[in-house]
Amino acid sequence: MSYEIPGLDTLLSTYAENIIRSYQDKTKDIRASGALCNSVTYKVDVQGDNFEVTISLEDYWEYIEYGRAPGKKFPPQDQILEWIRIKRIIPTPYTLPNGKQQIPTENQLAYLISRKIARDGTDPRPYLQESIDENYENFSRQLIDLLGDTVLELIDNNLNL
């Protein structure tokens, strides 16, 4: 037997919105184009006693969340190049074996950054999990209150005195 829980979809929507707001706040320092933050959406699906919250992000969110292990293939150089342009990174000169100094082109810089990421990997920055964890306690308290109210209402409606 399944019961509709009034207000559950609103509670789940609020939970998702709070997670997204927290995630966007945490990622503000790593923004280049803002595509990741601007892409965050959610969907709440409540059907009887089954409910699901789906949060969608740009594909590369996983590399930020979980990092990237060293020794993997090169990341897409065109995306690194776009990142360089958006961030307006100015390469520093380096010294050639003959003693001359040279400033790398944007393409050379993109290659060097890609090579470093492939060789050394990147550290995880679990901003999404932190956002979920930070909001879970308040959500679970509100869910318990909502369920308690629903159970009391069911008892009142079905109690034959």
Side-chain angles (χ1 to χ4, degrees):
M1 187 181 285
S2 142
Y3 296 99
E4 184 177 316
I5 303 171
L8 181 59
D9 53 347
T10 302
L11 178 61
L12 292 170
S13 292
T14 301
Y15 180 46
E17 289 165 5
N18 289 340
I19 290 169
I20 289 170
R21 198 172 9 262
S22 176
Y23 184 75
Q24 289 173 329
D25 188 51
K26 289 177 183 305
T27 57
K28 69 180 176 207
D29 293 335
I30 63 167
R31 288 184 192 162
S33 68
L36 180 64
C37 286
N38 295 334
S39 74
V40 185
T41 60
Y42 73 92
K43 179 183 172 204
V44 173
D45 187 23
V46 178
Q47 295 179 2
D49 55 0
N50 293 316
F51 53 91
E52 181 176 295
V53 176
T54 305
I55 295 177
S56 302
L57 302 129
E58 288 284 333
D59 291 340
Y60 63 90
W61 76 272
E62 292 177 273
Y63 295 111
I64 294 169
E65 188 77 9
Y66 303 115
R68 186 180 164 120
K72 301 288 182 182
K73 66 180 185 171
F74 279 46
Q77 206 165 331
D78 58 330
Q79 291 179 358
I80 300 292
L81 188 58
E82 181 184 350
W83 177 79
I84 289 169
R85 289 177 179 153
I86 290 168
K87 292 291 250 182
R88 297 183 179 166
I89 295 175
I90 300 171
T92 56
Y94 64 95
T95 305
L96 296 170
N98 65 6
K100 279 181 100 176
Q101 290 221 327
Q102 183 174 349
I103 297 175
T105 66
E106 282 184 334
N107 285 333
Q108 290 169 331
L109 183 60
Y111 171 80
L112 293 170
I113 292 170
S114 296
R115 182 180 68 184
K116 172 138 178 33
I117 291 171
R119 183 186 64 218
D120 299 339
T122 59
D123 291 332
R125 293 174 280 180
Y127 299 136
L128 183 58
Q129 188 61 55
E130 288 172 4
S131 298
I132 291 168
D133 293 346
E134 286 170 5
N135 287 283
Y136 183 75
E137 187 175 330
N138 187 45
F139 164 73
S140 63
R141 245 190 330 261
Q142 291 176 330
L143 180 61
I144 288 168
D145 290 345
L146 182 64
L147 292 173
D149 291 345
T150 303
V151 168
L152 289 174
E153 187 177 316
L154 283 169
I155 291 170
D156 285 346
N157 290 341
N158 292 306
L159 193 60
N160 294 324
L161 290 178

